[in-house]
Amino acid sequence: DIFGFESFKFNSFEQLCINYCNEALQQQFNLFVLKNEQDEYEREGISWAYIKFPDNQDVLDLIDKKGAGILNILDDQCRAPGTTDKTFANDIYKKLTPHPRFQANKRQV
């Protein structure tokens, strides 16, 4: 099972990338194996017990959604003159606080 984030006392950008890849791989597995198989069973009238599996699209959107994800915000910050880790943190906090999977408080920024 690769679903879920590993969390350490100090998380690095590399760990975010590893976690993101794991989430994306799990999403692909869920969609192309579990969901497609169950859809095929249904089409063919095969009796089976439905397997409920979590949908992690909201986590993937938090990280990579065009125009609003962490990686997009980082890309914008890298292109803008005079940005710092502080401006990046403030931008993430300002733009992602409403997201249900984003957790931070103003003291962290």
Side-chain angles (χ1 to χ4, degrees), residues 85-95 106 109:
D85 56 342
K86 183 82 168 164
T87 62
F88 174 58
N90 282 324
D91 207 17
I92 284 181
Y93 184 78
K94 180 177 74 179
K95 292 177 179 174
K106 192 65 177 165
V109 181

Side-chain angles (χ1 to χ4, degrees), residues 9-77:
K9 186 173 181 176
F10 298 100
N11 286 296
S12 65
F13 179 73
E14 290 81 7
Q15 188 62 47
L16 172 68
C17 292
I18 290 166
N19 288 339
Y20 168 69
C21 288
N22 287 343
E23 290 289 330
L25 286 170
Q26 186 67 49
Q27 180 77 337
Q28 290 298 312
F29 177 83
N30 289 350
L31 291 177
F32 292 107
V33 175
L34 298 177
K35 185 178 183 316
N36 287 342
E37 278 298 312
Q38 293 185 122
D39 290 347
E40 186 172 336
Y41 283 11
E42 195 170 284
R43 279 191 307 276
E44 294 181 9
I46 298 171
S47 179
W48 90 101
Y50 180 79
I51 300 170
K52 186 178 179 188
F53 52 89
D55 182 5
N56 64 341
Q57 187 60 53
D58 59 338
V59 173
L60 295 173
D61 289 345
L62 175 66
I63 297 169
D64 74 356
K65 187 173 183 178
K66 297 247 186 257
I70 292 170
L71 295 177
N72 187 261
I73 294 168
L74 177 60
D75 188 49
D76 290 346
Q77 287 281 312

